[in-house]
Amino acid sequence: MKILLAEDDSSISTILSMILEQFSGHAVDLAPDGKQAIELLQQNYYDLILLDSMMPYFDGLQVCKLARENLQVTAPIIFLSAKTAEENKKKCLDVGANGYIEKPFDPTSIWQQIESILQRVAS
Amino acid sequence: MRGILSRIKTSYLFFTLLALSVGGYYFTEYNKFQSQVEEESIYFELQNVIHKINPSNYNKDLQFDLQKLRSRTQNSSRQKRISDFIQVYSSQNQRLYPQRLNELNDFESKNFQELQKRKNKFVEFTTYTLMALIALSIFNMLFYLSGLQRQIFHPIQNLTLKINDFVNGNYQYYFNTPTDDELGHLETSFNHMAETVLKNMEELKALDAAKSEFMNIVSHELRTPMTSIKGSIALIMTGKWGELPDKVKNLLNIAEQETNRLIRMTNDFLDLAKIEARSYSLDKKWQPIDSILEASIQGLKGLQEKAKVHIDWHTDAGIEVFADKDRVQQIITNLLSNAMKFTPEGQSIQIFTEIENQHVKVSVKDAGPGISEENQKLIFQKFRQAASPDRPLVKGTGLGLSIAKALVEAHGGKIALKSDIGRGSTFYFSLPEYRRNEDTLSGEHAA
């Protein structure tokens, strides 16, 4: 499974990519900001896209919108965010995201959370 | 400034002067009338004297009477007539006596008729004056009433409407330009006050929005490093980069626990700030209090197993509350987890629900060491914690009771505690919106 992780905090991206590689069996592509995330989406196909809400250049919402509307990305998109208010979750779903995982995430259960969202999308 | 008061004074002065003029004029006419009355009585007395007079028999007293009458009259022609008569009488002038007597009688009868006429005229005058004064009073009163209505009552009613509008949230508060008098000034002052209040409200709204924004930012900034720390520790502890010595595992456990505690504390603190914000709203619905209790107890099963305590709950039949389910559950969970931390192994925690003072009262009684009076006063403050119990279960954040208090008060209720050293503590809170639903049974439950 090819995964794109867009996250500007290097600590989190290191840890999360380690966890994801363990379960997906494949290297994870990292984008440290919205601009590079878009570039990678233009060049490659991904089975799963994980987006942080707040990033330089384009934030998560903008990347998601662009991906869905302009780049015809159909793969599942999951947001990772520290913003927990209901209206933020709704905004993500409005631009075409499939799920939302709150930070700080539990490293021991995050893969299960991702899987359950993927299962929901598949059905 | 031409005020309403000066207008009232002016018109009052005007009408008073008018009444005084009329009164004064009447008074002068009355004086004239009085002198006419005098002249009339002189007529009768004179007739009297004339009848007593015997022309051939001179009586000094009668002459004296005549003289007195003459001196009383103000009418100079009359005086002359009487003088002439006195003269012929006193001089016993038989020749001129009849003539003078005729002249006097003629004069007197004509004068008398004149006096009667004037008397009637005066009575008419009095009647007219009275009618005029009555009309003046009525007109005056009508003038006042319409003036009062227009200048005082209408503005007051308008201002009252304006104020009511404002209180109800309708802020269009400029009806018309206020008049330049006392009530107009009142209206202007009210307009100023309304502006100030609205400005303050805007500022408060802005502050509240800024606070929410701040909380969002803080939330993100604090959670990000915590995520990394938690993640690093968890990855190391999977052992995939090598089996860890026990000491290392212990240290990592400590780091993990404290990180989790930090996360809980941050969540609690942000939660508290959110609840205390003016814009906080509750998702209230009707539901049985028992189901909320049940959910809370279920959620604490893990903690209860570690603490090895029993829970006995006694509930009143079918009480439903109009409240935010998650938040009330949070209140009960906070109280219950405290009770579990402080109740020794094997002992019981009691939960009661009852109706008291038109509120639903939920009490959680523990078998712990009790809380001293000084501490009782402080216990609901932020970050206050009791001395560590004998066995540390889960270290608290110190905010549980503050949050419980804020949530109870957000529902319009009150929270308090009763405690004695050595005899445990009972924490209880009340909710004001409840009803009875007889479908559910009461009971004693044990867990």
PDB file of all heavy atoms in Angstrom, chain B residues 406-434:
ATOM      1  N   ALA B 406     -18.168  23.488  37.299  1.00  0.00           N
ATOM      2  CA  ALA B 406     -18.535  24.341  36.172  1.00  0.00           C
ATOM      3  C   ALA B 406     -19.700  23.740  35.394  1.00  0.00           C
ATOM      4  O   ALA B 406     -20.618  24.452  34.980  1.00  0.00           O
ATOM      5  CB  ALA B 406     -17.327  24.555  35.256  1.00  0.00           C
ATOM      6  N   LEU B 407     -19.671  22.411  35.218  1.00  0.00           N
ATOM      7  CA  LEU B 407     -20.741  21.765  34.451  1.00  0.00           C
ATOM      8  C   LEU B 407     -22.066  21.800  35.211  1.00  0.00           C
ATOM      9  O   LEU B 407     -23.121  22.041  34.627  1.00  0.00           O
ATOM     10  CB  LEU B 407     -20.357  20.317  34.129  1.00  0.00           C
ATOM     11  CG  LEU B 407     -19.287  20.169  33.050  1.00  0.00           C
ATOM     12  CD1 LEU B 407     -18.833  18.726  32.933  1.00  0.00           C
ATOM     13  CD2 LEU B 407     -19.809  20.669  31.704  1.00  0.00           C
ATOM     14  N   VAL B 408     -22.015  21.531  36.520  1.00  0.00           N
ATOM     15  CA  VAL B 408     -23.241  21.569  37.316  1.00  0.00           C
ATOM     16  C   VAL B 408     -23.853  22.962  37.244  1.00  0.00           C
ATOM     17  O   VAL B 408     -25.057  23.125  37.028  1.00  0.00           O
ATOM     18  CB  VAL B 408     -22.946  21.179  38.788  1.00  0.00           C
ATOM     19  CG1 VAL B 408     -24.106  21.533  39.676  1.00  0.00           C
ATOM     20  CG2 VAL B 408     -22.642  19.703  38.901  1.00  0.00           C
ATOM     21  N   GLU B 409     -22.997  23.973  37.411  1.00  0.00           N
ATOM     22  CA  GLU B 409     -23.501  25.338  37.399  1.00  0.00           C
ATOM     23  C   GLU B 409     -23.997  25.749  36.029  1.00  0.00           C
ATOM     24  O   GLU B 409     -24.939  26.529  35.911  1.00  0.00           O
ATOM     25  CB  GLU B 409     -22.424  26.281  37.929  1.00  0.00           C
ATOM     26  CG  GLU B 409     -22.274  26.124  39.447  1.00  0.00           C
ATOM     27  CD  GLU B 409     -21.087  26.861  40.028  1.00  0.00           C
ATOM     28  OE1 GLU B 409     -20.375  27.552  39.272  1.00  0.00           O
ATOM     29  OE2 GLU B 409     -20.882  26.734  41.244  1.00  0.00           O
ATOM     30  N   ALA B 410     -23.403  25.189  34.974  1.00  0.00           N
ATOM     31  CA  ALA B 410     -23.886  25.479  33.625  1.00  0.00           C
ATOM     32  C   ALA B 410     -25.309  24.949  33.432  1.00  0.00           C
ATOM     33  O   ALA B 410     -26.077  25.487  32.640  1.00  0.00           O
ATOM     34  CB  ALA B 410     -22.957  24.866  32.582  1.00  0.00           C
ATOM     35  N   HIS B 411     -25.662  23.899  34.193  1.00  0.00           N
ATOM     36  CA  HIS B 411     -27.023  23.364  34.133  1.00  0.00           C
ATOM     37  C   HIS B 411     -27.969  24.097  35.073  1.00  0.00           C
ATOM     38  O   HIS B 411     -29.146  23.760  35.147  1.00  0.00           O
ATOM     39  CB  HIS B 411     -27.023  21.873  34.517  1.00  0.00           C
ATOM     40  CG  HIS B 411     -26.627  20.959  33.399  1.00  0.00           C
ATOM     41  ND1 HIS B 411     -25.325  20.636  33.132  1.00  0.00           N
ATOM     42  CD2 HIS B 411     -27.358  20.306  32.474  1.00  0.00           C
ATOM     43  CE1 HIS B 411     -25.268  19.824  32.099  1.00  0.00           C
ATOM     44  NE2 HIS B 411     -26.487  19.594  31.674  1.00  0.00           N
ATOM     45  N   GLY B 412     -27.439  25.057  35.813  1.00  0.00           N
ATOM     46  CA  GLY B 412     -28.286  25.788  36.754  1.00  0.00           C
ATOM     47  C   GLY B 412     -28.383  25.124  38.109  1.00  0.00           C
ATOM     48  O   GLY B 412     -29.261  25.450  38.911  1.00  0.00           O
ATOM     49  N   GLY B 413     -27.488  24.183  38.383  1.00  0.00           N
ATOM     50  CA  GLY B 413     -27.562  23.470  39.660  1.00  0.00           C
ATOM     51  C   GLY B 413     -26.466  23.915  40.620  1.00  0.00           C
ATOM     52  O   GLY B 413     -25.739  24.873  40.363  1.00  0.00           O
ATOM     53  N   LYS B 414     -26.354  23.180  41.719  1.00  0.00           N
ATOM     54  CA  LYS B 414     -25.322  23.476  42.713  1.00  0.00           C
ATOM     55  C   LYS B 414     -24.609  22.198  43.107  1.00  0.00           C
ATOM     56  O   LYS B 414     -25.186  21.128  43.061  1.00  0.00           O
ATOM     57  CB  LYS B 414     -25.977  24.084  43.958  1.00  0.00           C
ATOM     58  CG  LYS B 414     -26.449  25.506  43.772  1.00  0.00           C
ATOM     59  CD  LYS B 414     -26.487  26.230  45.100  1.00  0.00           C
ATOM     60  CE  LYS B 414     -26.604  27.725  45.003  1.00  0.00           C
ATOM     61  NZ  LYS B 414     -27.326  28.284  43.904  1.00  0.00           N
ATOM     62  N   ILE B 415     -23.333  22.358  43.507  1.00  0.00           N
ATOM     63  CA  ILE B 415     -22.559  21.191  43.946  1.00  0.00           C
ATOM     64  C   ILE B 415     -21.959  21.513  45.303  1.00  0.00           C
ATOM     65  O   ILE B 415     -21.571  22.648  45.557  1.00  0.00           O
ATOM     66  CB  ILE B 415     -21.476  20.824  42.897  1.00  0.00           C
ATOM     67  CG1 ILE B 415     -20.804  19.497  43.257  1.00  0.00           C
ATOM     68  CG2 ILE B 415     -20.432  21.917  42.781  1.00  0.00           C
ATOM     69  CD1 ILE B 415     -19.921  18.947  42.150  1.00  0.00           C
ATOM     70  N   ALA B 416     -21.907  20.513  46.163  1.00  0.00           N
ATOM     71  CA  ALA B 416     -21.368  20.751  47.506  1.00  0.00           C
ATOM     72  C   ALA B 416     -20.909  19.432  48.091  1.00  0.00           C
ATOM     73  O   ALA B 416     -21.067  18.371  47.499  1.00  0.00           O
ATOM     74  CB  ALA B 416     -22.428  21.395  48.387  1.00  0.00           C
ATOM     75  N   LEU B 417     -20.339  19.518  49.297  1.00  0.00           N
ATOM     76  CA  LEU B 417     -19.937  18.270  49.933  1.00  0.00           C
ATOM     77  C   LEU B 417     -20.158  18.332  51.427  1.00  0.00           C
ATOM     78  O   LEU B 417     -20.218  19.410  52.021  1.00  0.00           O
ATOM     79  CB  LEU B 417     -18.470  17.951  49.651  1.00  0.00           C
ATOM     80  CG  LEU B 417     -17.445  18.627  50.574  1.00  0.00           C
ATOM     81  CD1 LEU B 417     -16.539  17.601  51.192  1.00  0.00           C
ATOM     82  CD2 LEU B 417     -16.629  19.612  49.801  1.00  0.00           C
ATOM     83  N   LYS B 418     -20.319  17.141  51.988  1.00  0.00           N
ATOM     84  CA  LYS B 418     -20.437  17.030  53.439  1.00  0.00           C
ATOM     85  C   LYS B 418     -19.378  16.020  53.857  1.00  0.00           C
ATOM     86  O   LYS B 418     -19.262  14.954  53.250  1.00  0.00           O
ATOM     87  CB  LYS B 418     -21.830  16.460  53.780  1.00  0.00           C
ATOM     88  CG  LYS B 418     -22.671  17.383  54.601  1.00  0.00           C
ATOM     89  CD  LYS B 418     -23.961  16.777  55.098  1.00  0.00           C
ATOM     90  CE  LYS B 418     -24.491  15.605  54.356  1.00  0.00           C
ATOM     91  NZ  LYS B 418     -25.938  15.549  54.357  1.00  0.00           N
ATOM     92  N   SER B 419     -18.617  16.362  54.862  1.00  0.00           N
ATOM     93  CA  SER B 419     -17.569  15.413  55.231  1.00  0.00           C
ATOM     94  C   SER B 419     -17.125  15.599  56.662  1.00  0.00           C
ATOM     95  O   SER B 419     -17.159  16.708  57.197  1.00  0.00           O
ATOM     96  CB  SER B 419     -16.365  15.593  54.302  1.00  0.00           C
ATOM     97  OG  SER B 419     -15.359  14.677  54.640  1.00  0.00           O
ATOM     98  N   ASP B 420     -16.730  14.481  57.280  1.00  0.00           N
ATOM     99  CA  ASP B 420     -16.116  14.543  58.605  1.00  0.00           C
ATOM    100  C   ASP B 420     -14.864  13.691  58.560  1.00  0.00           C
ATOM    101  O   ASP B 420     -14.848  12.628  57.940  1.00  0.00           O
ATOM    102  CB  ASP B 420     -17.070  13.963  59.663  1.00  0.00           C
ATOM    103  CG  ASP B 420     -18.256  14.871  59.902  1.00  0.00           C
ATOM    104  OD1 ASP B 420     -18.014  16.052  60.214  1.00  0.00           O
ATOM    105  OD2 ASP B 420     -19.384  14.401  59.748  1.00  0.00           O
ATOM    106  N   ILE B 421     -13.829  14.152  59.264  1.00  0.00           N
ATOM    107  CA  ILE B 421     -12.587  13.373  59.297  1.00  0.00           C
ATOM    108  C   ILE B 421     -12.888  12.006  59.881  1.00  0.00           C
ATOM    109  O   ILE B 421     -13.512  11.894  60.938  1.00  0.00           O
ATOM    110  CB  ILE B 421     -11.535  14.087  60.153  1.00  0.00           C
ATOM    111  CG1 ILE B 421     -11.227  15.464  59.567  1.00  0.00           C
ATOM    112  CG2 ILE B 421     -10.255  13.270  60.256  1.00  0.00           C
ATOM    113  CD1 ILE B 421     -10.359  15.454  58.358  1.00  0.00           C
ATOM    114  N   GLY B 422     -12.421  10.983  59.172  1.00  0.00           N
ATOM    115  CA  GLY B 422     -12.608   9.614  59.644  1.00  0.00           C
ATOM    116  C   GLY B 422     -13.924   8.988  59.257  1.00  0.00           C
ATOM    117  O   GLY B 422     -14.144   7.803  59.469  1.00  0.00           O
ATOM    118  N   ARG B 423     -14.838   9.796  58.650  1.00  0.00           N
ATOM    119  CA  ARG B 423     -16.130   9.199  58.329  1.00  0.00           C
ATOM    120  C   ARG B 423     -16.524   9.354  56.867  1.00  0.00           C
ATOM    121  O   ARG B 423     -17.674   9.317  56.525  1.00  0.00           O
ATOM    122  CB  ARG B 423     -17.211   9.806  59.221  1.00  0.00           C
ATOM    123  CG  ARG B 423     -17.064   9.278  60.632  1.00  0.00           C
ATOM    124  CD  ARG B 423     -18.340   9.398  61.399  1.00  0.00           C
ATOM    125  NE  ARG B 423     -18.258  10.595  62.247  1.00  0.00           N
ATOM    126  CZ  ARG B 423     -19.288  11.248  62.709  1.00  0.00           C
ATOM    127  NH1 ARG B 423     -20.490  10.866  62.376  1.00  0.00           N
ATOM    128  NH2 ARG B 423     -19.131  12.296  63.468  1.00  0.00           N
ATOM    129  N   GLY B 424     -15.531   9.544  56.024  1.00  0.00           N
ATOM    130  CA  GLY B 424     -15.835   9.600  54.601  1.00  0.00           C
ATOM    131  C   GLY B 424     -16.433  10.932  54.171  1.00  0.00           C
ATOM    132  O   GLY B 424     -16.660  11.832  54.974  1.00  0.00           O
ATOM    133  N   SER B 425     -16.666  11.035  52.876  1.00  0.00           N
ATOM    134  CA  SER B 425     -17.229  12.277  52.329  1.00  0.00           C
ATOM    135  C   SER B 425     -18.396  11.969  51.418  1.00  0.00           C
ATOM    136  O   SER B 425     -18.432  10.928  50.765  1.00  0.00           O
ATOM    137  CB  SER B 425     -16.175  13.015  51.506  1.00  0.00           C
ATOM    138  OG  SER B 425     -14.946  13.021  52.167  1.00  0.00           O
ATOM    139  N   THR B 426     -19.357  12.872  51.400  1.00  0.00           N
ATOM    140  CA  THR B 426     -20.472  12.762  50.463  1.00  0.00           C
ATOM    141  C   THR B 426     -20.461  13.986  49.559  1.00  0.00           C
ATOM    142  O   THR B 426     -20.641  15.108  50.025  1.00  0.00           O
ATOM    143  CB  THR B 426     -21.824  12.698  51.197  1.00  0.00           C
ATOM    144  OG1 THR B 426     -21.782  11.649  52.140  1.00  0.00           O
ATOM    145  CG2 THR B 426     -22.952  12.475  50.214  1.00  0.00           C
ATOM    146  N   PHE B 427     -20.206  13.758  48.273  1.00  0.00           N
ATOM    147  CA  PHE B 427     -20.297  14.832  47.303  1.00  0.00           C
ATOM    148  C   PHE B 427     -21.673  14.767  46.671  1.00  0.00           C
ATOM    149  O   PHE B 427     -22.106  13.697  46.243  1.00  0.00           O
ATOM    150  CB  PHE B 427     -19.220  14.667  46.219  1.00  0.00           C
ATOM    151  CG  PHE B 427     -17.852  15.090  46.660  1.00  0.00           C
ATOM    152  CD1 PHE B 427     -17.059  14.231  47.408  1.00  0.00           C
ATOM    153  CD2 PHE B 427     -17.360  16.349  46.337  1.00  0.00           C
ATOM    154  CE1 PHE B 427     -15.791  14.627  47.825  1.00  0.00           C
ATOM    155  CE2 PHE B 427     -16.099  16.753  46.746  1.00  0.00           C
ATOM    156  CZ  PHE B 427     -15.316  15.891  47.496  1.00  0.00           C
ATOM    157  N   TYR B 428     -22.368  15.900  46.626  1.00  0.00           N
ATOM    158  CA  TYR B 428     -23.688  15.864  46.003  1.00  0.00           C
ATOM    159  C   TYR B 428     -23.896  17.092  45.110  1.00  0.00           C
ATOM    160  O   TYR B 428     -23.358  18.162  45.365  1.00  0.00           O
ATOM    161  CB  TYR B 428     -24.792  15.771  47.057  1.00  0.00           C
ATOM    162  CG  TYR B 428     -24.748  16.839  48.112  1.00  0.00           C
ATOM    163  CD1 TYR B 428     -25.496  18.011  47.983  1.00  0.00           C
ATOM    164  CD2 TYR B 428     -23.957  16.687  49.249  1.00  0.00           C
ATOM    165  CE1 TYR B 428     -25.455  18.988  48.953  1.00  0.00           C
ATOM    166  CE2 TYR B 428     -23.922  17.667  50.217  1.00  0.00           C
ATOM    167  CZ  TYR B 428     -24.666  18.813  50.063  1.00  0.00           C
ATOM    168  OH  TYR B 428     -24.624  19.797  51.018  1.00  0.00           O
ATOM    169  N   PHE B 429     -24.687  16.876  44.051  1.00  0.00           N
ATOM    170  CA  PHE B 429     -25.018  17.998  43.170  1.00  0.00           C
ATOM    171  C   PHE B 429     -26.493  17.910  42.819  1.00  0.00           C
ATOM    172  O   PHE B 429     -27.104  16.835  42.900  1.00  0.00           O
ATOM    173  CB  PHE B 429     -24.139  18.007  41.915  1.00  0.00           C
ATOM    174  CG  PHE B 429     -24.372  16.857  40.976  1.00  0.00           C
ATOM    175  CD1 PHE B 429     -25.245  16.982  39.901  1.00  0.00           C
ATOM    176  CD2 PHE B 429     -23.708  15.645  41.157  1.00  0.00           C
ATOM    177  CE1 PHE B 429     -25.447  15.921  39.031  1.00  0.00           C
ATOM    178  CE2 PHE B 429     -23.914  14.591  40.291  1.00  0.00           C
ATOM    179  CZ  PHE B 429     -24.778  14.724  39.219  1.00  0.00           C
ATOM    180  N   SER B 430     -27.044  19.068  42.441  1.00  0.00           N
ATOM    181  CA  SER B 430     -28.469  19.115  42.128  1.00  0.00           C
ATOM    182  C   SER B 430     -28.671  19.654  40.718  1.00  0.00           C
ATOM    183  O   SER B 430     -27.888  20.467  40.234  1.00  0.00           O
ATOM    184  CB  SER B 430     -29.201  20.020  43.120  1.00  0.00           C
ATOM    185  OG  SER B 430     -28.648  21.315  43.063  1.00  0.00           O
ATOM    186  N   LEU B 431     -29.730  19.158  40.056  1.00  0.00           N
ATOM    187  CA  LEU B 431     -30.101  19.656  38.736  1.00  0.00           C
ATOM    188  C   LEU B 431     -31.551  20.136  38.804  1.00  0.00           C
ATOM    189  O   LEU B 431     -32.406  19.421  39.326  1.00  0.00           O
ATOM    190  CB  LEU B 431     -29.971  18.537  37.688  1.00  0.00           C
ATOM    191  CG  LEU B 431     -28.558  17.993  37.462  1.00  0.00           C
ATOM    192  CD1 LEU B 431     -28.591  16.769  36.572  1.00  0.00           C
ATOM    193  CD2 LEU B 431     -27.680  19.067  36.830  1.00  0.00           C
ATOM    194  N   PRO B 432     -31.836  21.317  38.263  1.00  0.00           N
ATOM    195  CA  PRO B 432     -33.170  21.868  38.454  1.00  0.00           C
ATOM    196  C   PRO B 432     -34.250  21.348  37.504  1.00  0.00           C
ATOM    197  O   PRO B 432     -35.420  21.360  37.851  1.00  0.00           O
ATOM    198  CB  PRO B 432     -32.960  23.371  38.222  1.00  0.00           C
ATOM    199  CG  PRO B 432     -31.785  23.435  37.306  1.00  0.00           C
ATOM    200  CD  PRO B 432     -30.914  22.271  37.614  1.00  0.00           C
ATOM    201  N   GLU B 433     -33.860  20.878  36.307  1.00  0.00           N
ATOM    202  CA  GLU B 433     -34.888  20.511  35.332  1.00  0.00           C
ATOM    203  C   GLU B 433     -35.089  19.007  35.319  1.00  0.00           C
ATOM    204  O   GLU B 433     -34.227  18.264  34.856  1.00  0.00           O
ATOM    205  CB  GLU B 433     -34.482  20.997  33.937  1.00  0.00           C
ATOM    206  CG  GLU B 433     -34.524  22.518  33.821  1.00  0.00           C
ATOM    207  CD  GLU B 433     -33.843  23.016  32.583  1.00  0.00           C
ATOM    208  OE1 GLU B 433     -32.593  22.985  32.521  1.00  0.00           O
ATOM    209  OE2 GLU B 433     -34.547  23.418  31.657  1.00  0.00           O
ATOM    210  N   TYR B 434     -36.236  18.573  35.864  1.00  0.00           N
ATOM    211  CA  TYR B 434     -36.479  17.147  35.948  1.00  0.00           C
ATOM    212  C   TYR B 434     -37.962  16.868  35.793  1.00  0.00           C
ATOM    213  O   TYR B 434     -38.796  17.769  35.837  1.00  0.00           O
ATOM    214  CB  TYR B 434     -35.971  16.590  37.277  1.00  0.00           C
ATOM    215  CG  TYR B 434     -36.860  16.936  38.448  1.00  0.00           C
ATOM    216  CD1 TYR B 434     -37.842  16.056  38.898  1.00  0.00           C
ATOM    217  CD2 TYR B 434     -36.738  18.160  39.089  1.00  0.00           C
ATOM    218  CE1 TYR B 434     -38.671  16.387  39.945  1.00  0.00           C
ATOM    219  CE2 TYR B 434     -37.564  18.496  40.143  1.00  0.00           C
ATOM    220  CZ  TYR B 434     -38.523  17.609  40.579  1.00  0.00           C
ATOM    221  OH  TYR B 434     -39.334  17.929  41.624  1.00  0.00           O
TER     222      TYR B 434
END
